[in-house]
Amino acid sequence: MSNQNYPDKTEKNTKIIFCGSPKSFTGNLRTNLELLRSKLGSDRLKFKLFTVGTLNPKKVAVAYLEGMAPPGLLQRLSNKIAGLKQEQLIGPGHLEMLIKDFPRSPFPQLLAVEKPEYAINYLLEGKYLILLEGSPTTLTAPVTFSDFFEKPEDQNFHWSIRLFLQFLRFLATAVAGFLPALYVAIITFHYYIIPVNFLIPLAESWAGVPFPPVVEILFLETIIEILRESTVHITSPFGAGLGIGGGVLLGVAALSTQTISSSTLIVSMVTLIASLILPTYDLGPTTRILKFAFLIFAALFGVLGLVVTASLVVAHLVTLESLGEPYLKPKFSFKLV
């Protein structure tokens, strides 16, 4: 392990050549560090360098602003990275699994960043950047739950607009996680709370469907997740649109053959649209996993199962930490002026 300000401009026999000015991080660690240095011209920007891996050693750099980032967290992060005994690091996700405080938790405890402007914004907030040689993705820590509902460009808006956007993203995440389970719980156990004017059309739409609501929603949600993963292998920029279009066409076809009811299709499509609002990918897989967990317990125990499961998730979030900092630590990014 080496503890130094890296890269050193006085180092001999070192020549860095930029082919133009790179606008995003690359796989070259030295280029990424120089990119941060060029965009944030401050002498308080420091780097700490590590070497991880015995079979395939890779450089890992920790960037921070001296005087803004808590020094105690730097020591904690340094101990975590220096204590790694892995033969090799596969990528940033692998590194996150190794150094995060709660490795068994499905919730992300570090935030992935791919643009230098975003990374600098986190540096100015007093966070640490973790850069891995061979990867264009940078990790930032510590993070809070609210960080996953923000975009750095939100700072360009008035505080009221930022607050509205963050609330909208949080609401969309809640809809993506809870709506299918709430629908199944109400239809299966608590249908009496549905107004009669809505219950009659719903009953007519279920008349020709041979499956119970939980089977319908599980079928649709599973197909949507398969389509979502299949778009990863499509190189076209319209891959995500093709996946959504395929899901809609499949739902319409299932509706026309009375395999599913119209209400189930509406719930699945609303859930799909809501899941696309999250500004970061990190929290997306967690939301999708919890969606199925909520759905199963709601199908077994109704709203009670949904409430108990949600309470356990909230209790887990309360105990969760990111680099020793509370995961649900409040963050006020606006001023009433």
Side-chain angles (χ1 to χ4, degrees):
M1 180 194 73
S2 173
N3 184 0
Q4 58 183 355
N5 291 342
Y6 177 88
D8 188 355
K9 295 183 179 180
T10 63
E11 183 179 354
K12 296 182 179 179
N13 301 324
T14 300
K15 187 176 182 181
I16 303 174
I17 301 177
F18 290 102
C19 297
S21 178
K23 297 181 179 180
S24 59
F25 288 122
T26 67
N28 188 287
L29 179 60
R30 181 176 291 273
T31 301
N32 293 339
L33 299 183
E34 284 289 350
L35 183 59
L36 287 176
R37 178 72 73 183
S38 64
K39 289 183 175 292
L40 184 62
S42 173
D43 294 336
R44 297 167 63 182
L45 178 61
K46 305 296 181 181
F47 304 102
K48 194 170 184 180
L49 188 65
F50 303 86
T51 300
V52 179
T54 56
L55 182 63
N56 183 23
K58 286 187 177 182
K59 300 290 185 181
V60 177
V62 175
Y64 61 98
L65 277 177
E66 191 176 34
M68 296 194 66
L73 298 186
L74 175 61
Q75 186 61 42
R76 183 187 182 99
L77 181 59
S78 300
N79 293 338
K80 284 179 174 290
I81 298 177
L84 295 179
K85 304 298 181 182
Q86 299 294 314
E87 293 185 348
Q88 62 176 347
L89 285 178
I90 301 175
H94 185 207
L95 179 61
E96 177 185 358
M97 292 295 298
L98 295 174
I99 66 176
K100 66 181 185 179
D101 294 343
F102 294 80
R104 295 183 179 179
S105 173
F107 287 91
Q109 297 158 46
L110 286 85
L111 184 61
V113 185
E114 295 183 351
K115 294 185 178 181
E117 293 78 11
Y118 295 177
I120 291 174
N121 182 75
Y122 291 123
L123 284 175
L124 294 174
E125 292 180 359
K127 299 181 184 295
Y128 293 90
L129 296 181
I130 307 171
L131 301 94
L132 177 63
E133 182 182 15
S135 174
T137 302
T138 301
L139 300 175
T140 181
V143 295
T144 61
F145 188 65
S146 61
D147 287 331
F148 296 97
F149 301 95
E150 298 178 3
K151 285 184 177 181
E153 56 264 29
D154 290 347
Q155 300 297 325
N156 298 322
F157 304 112
H158 188 260
W159 68 265
S160 59
I161 300 177
R162 296 202 304 268
L163 185 62
F164 171 74
L165 292 176
Q166 293 172 20
F167 171 76
L168 190 64
R169 293 162 187 160
F170 180 81
L171 179 63
T173 303
V175 169
F178 289 105
L179 183 59
L182 185 61
Y183 168 75
V184 169
I186 292 177
I187 294 302
T188 306
F189 295 93
H190 313 284
Y191 57 87
Y192 49 84
I193 69 174
I194 303 176
V196 177
N197 294 337
F198 291 99
L199 186 59
I200 294 176
L202 288 177
E204 291 176 352
S205 67
W206 300 327
V209 178
F211 306 108
V214 62
V215 175
E216 295 180 67
I217 203 77
L218 277 174
F219 168 75
L220 269 182
E221 292 299 327
T222 302
I223 294 299
I224 288 174
E225 294 301 329
I226 293 175
L227 285 172
R228 195 196 302 266
E229 287 302 313
S230 66
T231 58
V232 177
H233 304 283
I234 300 177
T235 57
S236 170
F238 303 103
L242 292 175
I244 297 175
V248 172
L249 291 176
L250 182 62
V252 171
L255 181 62
S256 62
T257 58
Q258 292 189 337
T259 305
I260 61 173
S261 62
S262 57
S263 58
T264 302
L265 178 61
I266 292 174
V267 169
S268 291
M269 291 301 103
V270 171
T271 303
L272 174 61
I273 295 172
S275 67
L276 300 176
I277 295 182
L278 274 176
T280 64
Y281 174 78
D282 307 70
L283 198 60
T286 302
T287 305
R288 291 152 61 185
I289 292 174
L290 292 177
K291 173 180 64 178
F292 285 100
F294 293 145
L295 183 57
I296 292 173
F297 283 97
L300 293 175
F301 306 106
V303 172
L304 177 62
L306 178 59
V307 171
V308 171
T309 309
S311 301
L312 292 176
V313 173
V314 173
H316 173 67
L317 290 175
V318 171
T319 61
L320 207 59
E321 294 181 350
S322 173
L323 203 62
E325 294 291 304
Y327 200 65
L328 293 183
K329 181 178 179 180
K331 179 180 180 180
F332 302 96
S333 57
F334 59 90
K335 295 181 180 180
L336 296 175
V337 294

